[in-house]
Amino acid sequence: MSTAVDMSHYVRADKIEALPPPKLARGPVAWMRENLFSGPVNTLLTLLALYLLYVTIPPVVRFLFTDAVWTGADRSVCREDMVGHPVGACWAFIADKINFFTYGSYPAAERWRVNVFFGLLAIGVVWLLWLRAPRRDLGAVYFFWVFPVVSYILLTGGNADFGGRFWTIFAIAGAVLIAALAAAAYALNASIRTAILAGAGIVAAVGITLAAIDWDFDLLPVPTALWGGILVTLIVATVGIVFSLPFGILLALGRRSRLPILRLASVIFIEFVRGVPLITVLIMANTMLPLFLPPDTSVDRLLRPLVGTAFFASAYMAEVVRGGLQAIPKGQYEGAMSLGLNYPQMMIFIVLPQALRIVIPGIVNTFIGLFKDTSLVSVVGIFDLIKTIEASRIDPNWAAPTISYTGYAFAALFYFVFCWGMSRYSIGVERRLAAGQKR
């Protein structure tokens, strides 16, 4: 009997198209089933979230967009009893007060100087944060030295008129600083020649900066009492962010130092500043800072909260950086020392780059908190954005029920845009730096 099988009866000769996957295995329905309705608790939370969105989103959209008033010259366009229909946000009020919100009481004829400051700030931020920008080393010099000096001269008018006595004191202080750095290098077993050159460079940079501020550029002097709005908010945030990171790194290194006096001073500063609210620091900086200066010396009213904000953010930044330093394995220190690197070289080239990469989320979180906390300077009489809104909403010409809500909505939008931008940038930097470490 033959056992051969005729395969032509079992193998299909023509090709057929592949069948689509089951609807409940792929696609939007499957995604919703897996992520939104995977169980009783998840289903209940999804329904609760949808209900909250249904309750909150439509009124917000109606207030901000559908019922909003976009044009007008006074309160008559933003009052329901005058226009005869529901009125939402009065954006005409924001349009009418936008110059006050931006410049405060800065003289109108000199506001081009503020616009130049905004442009220089944007150039510095883009140059420094754009990872593909050319010569970012020059960008750092521009942002941390050229930009502050030019901005100060532009906004204040320069021509500080220091006098000969000031320059004599500056020369003596410069010589003391160079001697102190040389002594510190000797104590740390570092290069004394490098320390002297670094000290001379610092003294020269500070001297050039003070000479530029002392020069008369024939600009109209504008006191800081006339500054306000977004200008002050950006200045306080920029100064706090720029100074808090390097000062926080120095405090973190000081707290881990083997020198008892340096470690004790860093611990006292960090714990004291972290132990009090920012409002207390601002009030102390506003009232107590002049007590530590000579009687004939006065401190600018805007400089006081700037110092307090920078110190406050530096204490928090120091703890963030210290967390990164503690996460570095001991082998990294031993490897750096085996290469013959001294302490500054080990920190600059080996330890700090790794530690700062680890704590990027904490650093950005501190920056975001600092940016929002700038609104507290209004407590000590500084006219920031919130203060200008508070002053404008009681204008009789714009007396309407929705004026206050509109002003605060504008402030919330302003802060959200900046904080969201910082958050998104940090996420991009984290992904770029972690690209080579994914397993």
Side-chain angles (χ1 to χ4, degrees):
M1 183 176 65
S2 175
T3 58
V5 178
D6 186 2
M7 299 299 295
S8 61
H9 294 286
Y10 299 96
V11 180
R12 183 186 295 275
D14 54 335
K15 182 179 179 182
I16 62 173
E17 296 294 333
L19 295 176
K23 293 184 178 179
L24 296 181
R26 295 184 61 183
V29 175
W31 183 89
M32 294 175 62
R33 181 183 178 185
E34 181 180 358
N35 296 278
L36 301 181
F37 303 100
S38 59
V41 177
N42 200 2
T43 301
L44 181 61
L45 292 177
T46 299
L47 295 177
L48 180 61
L50 292 176
Y51 174 74
L52 292 177
L53 292 176
Y54 170 76
V55 172
T56 57
I57 295 300
V60 172
V61 172
R62 281 198 301 270
F63 178 79
L64 294 179
F65 302 104
T66 308
D67 296 337
V69 178
W70 300 92
T71 58
D74 55 22
R75 60 178 180 175
S76 60
V77 297
C78 299
R79 293 183 65 92
E80 183 177 351
D81 55 345
M82 292 184 178
V83 297
H85 58 78
V87 175
C90 185
W91 297 116
F93 163 72
I94 301 297
D96 184 67
K97 299 290 185 181
I98 189 63
N99 286 332
F100 185 58
F101 293 159
T102 305
Y103 308 103
S105 300
Y106 208 91
E110 304 294 329
R111 287 176 180 173
W112 64 270
R113 290 152 58 175
V114 180
N115 295 331
V116 174
F117 163 75
F118 289 151
L120 295 176
L121 177 61
I123 292 174
V125 171
V126 173
W127 195 356
L128 202 60
L129 300 185
W130 185 28
L131 301 180
R132 296 181 180 179
R135 298 305 304 270
R136 296 180 65 206
D137 53 342
L138 295 180
V141 174
Y142 166 81
F143 190 78
F144 290 103
W145 184 28
V146 178
F147 167 69
V149 176
V150 175
S151 299
Y152 178 83
I153 296 173
L154 269 176
L155 296 177
T156 64
N159 194 13
D161 193 16
F162 290 128
R165 181 186 176 188
F166 173 84
W167 289 111
T168 303
I169 297 175
F170 172 75
I172 297 173
V176 172
L177 175 64
I178 295 175
L181 289 178
Y186 178 77
L188 297 174
N189 197 22
S191 173
I192 299 177
R193 180 174 177 272
T194 303
I196 294 176
L197 291 177
I202 294 173
V203 173
V206 175
I208 294 174
T209 301
L210 294 175
I213 295 174
D214 196 26
W215 192 266
D216 185 8
F217 290 92
D218 198 21
L219 293 174
L220 178 68
V222 180
T224 56
L226 300 179
W227 302 9
I230 295 175
L231 170 63
V232 168
T233 298
L234 291 182
I235 288 177
V236 176
T238 304
V239 171
I241 290 174
V242 168
F243 282 94
S244 64
L245 182 58
F247 194 44
I249 292 175
L250 293 178
L251 286 173
L253 295 176
R255 185 160 189 169
R256 292 171 53 87
S257 174
R258 296 179 180 178
L259 300 177
I261 297 179
L262 186 59
R263 183 172 64 250
L264 180 62
S266 301
V267 170
I268 291 176
F269 178 86
I270 293 172
E271 296 301 332
F272 176 76
V273 174
R274 285 201 309 164
V276 296
L278 177 57
I279 293 179
T280 306
V281 175
L282 292 175
I283 294 176
M284 292 176 63
N286 193 48
T287 58
M288 298 185 64
L289 184 61
L291 302 179
F292 297 97
L293 299 175
D296 56 344
T297 303
S298 62
V299 182
D300 186 85
R301 59 184 295 274
L302 180 59
L303 180 61
R304 301 171 191 174
L306 287 179
V307 174
T309 304
F311 282 175
F312 187 83
S314 299
Y316 281 88
M317 187 63 68
E319 289 302 285
V320 173
V321 175
R322 189 170 68 90
L325 293 174
Q326 290 181 341
I328 302 300
K330 187 179 179 181
Q332 296 293 318
Y333 294 88
E334 296 173 346
M337 288 185 286
S338 67
L339 294 175
L341 301 181
N342 55 32
Y343 180 80
Q345 292 173 333
M346 178 177 63
M347 285 297 166
I348 294 174
F349 298 114
I350 304 297
V351 178
L352 279 178
Q354 301 180 68
L356 294 179
R357 178 178 56 81
I358 295 174
V359 297
I360 285 178
I363 292 175
V364 176
N365 187 50
T366 304
F367 286 163
I368 292 175
L370 172 64
F371 188 81
K372 292 186 294 184
D373 287 344
T374 57
S375 59
L376 294 177
V377 299
S378 60
V379 176
V380 292
I382 303 300
F383 247 72
D384 71 325
L385 175 61
I386 298 298
K387 196 72 172 180
T388 56
I389 292 175
E390 289 281 346
S392 300
R393 70 184 183 87
I394 58 176
D395 184 359
N397 193 42
W398 286 100
T402 60
I403 291 298
S404 297
Y405 303 124
T406 305
Y408 292 128
F410 174 73
L413 181 63
F414 171 82
Y415 283 101
F416 173 78
V417 169
F418 278 86
C419 295
W420 185 77
M422 287 189 282
S423 174
R424 300 307 301 174
Y425 179 79
S426 71
I427 293 176
V429 172
E430 287 180 52
R431 290 175 179 172
R432 178 176 178 272
L433 295 179
Q437 297 185 349
K438 291 183 178 179
R439 296 184 174 89

